[in-house]
Amino acid sequence: PRGTVPRRRPPGSDMGRGLTVLLLALALLAAPARAEGGRAAAEEVQIEVLHLPEACSPKSKKGDLLNAHYDGFLASDGSKFYCSRTQNEGHPKWFVLGVGQVIKGLDIAMMNMCPGEKRKVTIPPSLAYGQQGYAQGKIPPNATLIFEIELYAVNKGPRSVEAFNQIDKDGDKKLSEHEISQYLKEEFARDGKKRHPSAHDEILADIFKKNDHDGDGFISAKEYNVYQHDEL
């Protein structure tokens, strides 16, 4: 499944500055995903709760940044096609929920989950890899998938109202090229990694190409895709 590269941090720990550039990429470079399937599709995902901790807060919602391990199996024969613990030195995956960074079925299956919870979910082909399958991942066409998921952390996601307000220095509810340019410079300085001088301008141009849908030179709250549970 698609996902972001995990960072070397203990499950459930503070993300710290090590994730700032990752958050920026998720928040501004990734085009917002479009809704698919609606309520009827959500009913097709079968969810079995294997473990529910006594303290269940906060519950995951669209736009949250999650940290989780998950194993994937083919429902047809039970063979394992994916294990996050065997990749990238075994670190859990970081990804934003509900924006298409994982297959649609996982986006649905991991809603309203709390840190420490474990689930077994069954995802139909229409919410996984469909008729095409995923040859690279050894998933045949029309495959029903089973995932065993353990969620470690639920954090405020990069397209939250807090992130928007952090960039919107003048408080006019829209992001200018200057504001995003300054934000990029600050994040790059905190990250401390060496980059080619052209990287800043290329990223800035890509941000506006993917987010300034009406071409007015600003990224509005709607274009930034602040989620409905947040208010500016």
Side-chain angles (χ1 to χ4, degrees), residues 20 27-28 42 65-66 100 103 118 139 148 159 165 174 198 229 231:
T20 54
L28 296 175
L65 183 67
L66 305 187
I103 58 173
K118 297 179 182 180
I139 299 173
E148 294 181 357
R159 283 187 184 264
N165 288 336
K174 56 185 180 182
S198 65
H229 61 267
E231 295 183 3

Side-chain angles (χ1 to χ4, degrees), residues 31-184:
R34 305 303 179 198
E36 299 177 12
R39 187 172 297 176
E43 293 173 354
E44 295 177 18
V45 176
Q46 299 176 27
I47 299 174
E48 178 186 356
V49 177
L50 302 177
H51 173 72
L52 187 65
E54 291 184 9
C56 185
S57 179
K59 288 190 174 183
S60 60
K61 60 185 178 299
K62 182 179 179 182
D64 283 342
L65 183 67
L66 305 187
N67 187 231
H69 266 314
Y70 47 90
D71 296 337
F73 306 85
L74 296 179
S76 59
D77 61 7
S79 61
K80 182 182 289 189
F81 63 84
Y82 183 81
C83 177
S84 61
R85 292 175 175 83
T86 62
Q87 298 191 6
N88 297 295
E89 299 182 4
H91 297 295
K93 292 282 188 180
W94 286 104
F95 62 93
V96 179
L97 184 64
V99 300
Q101 291 186 328
V102 292
I103 58 173
K104 182 66 176 178
L106 279 176
D107 271 337
I108 294 170
M110 296 185 70
M111 291 287 182
N112 298 311
M113 236 180 140
C114 53
E117 184 174 344
K118 297 179 182 180
R119 289 182 178 181
K120 180 179 180 180
V121 302
T122 303
I123 299 173
S126 61
L127 297 175
Y129 294 97
Q131 297 179 357
Q132 294 76 27
Y134 182 48
Q136 184 178 348
K138 299 181 180 180
I139 299 173
N142 299 310
T144 296
L145 307 181
I146 296 173
F147 284 92
E148 294 181 357
I149 306 163
E150 183 174 5
L151 181 62
Y152 294 117
V154 177
N155 298 282
K156 276 284 187 180
R159 283 187 184 264
S160 66
V161 64
E162 291 86 354
F164 185 94
N165 288 336
Q166 181 183 356
I167 305 172
D168 183 24
K169 299 294 187 183
D170 61 9
D172 64 354
K173 307 307 179 187
K174 56 185 180 182
L175 308 181
S176 67
E177 183 174 328
H178 175 71
E179 286 173 327
I180 294 179
S181 176
Q182 287 299 115
Y183 182 72
L184 279 173

Side-chain angles (χ1 to χ4, degrees), residues 203-214:
I203 293 174
L204 186 62
D206 197 39
I207 287 170
F208 275 85
K209 179 181 178 181
K210 292 182 177 179
N211 292 273
D212 182 18
H213 303 304
D214 61 10

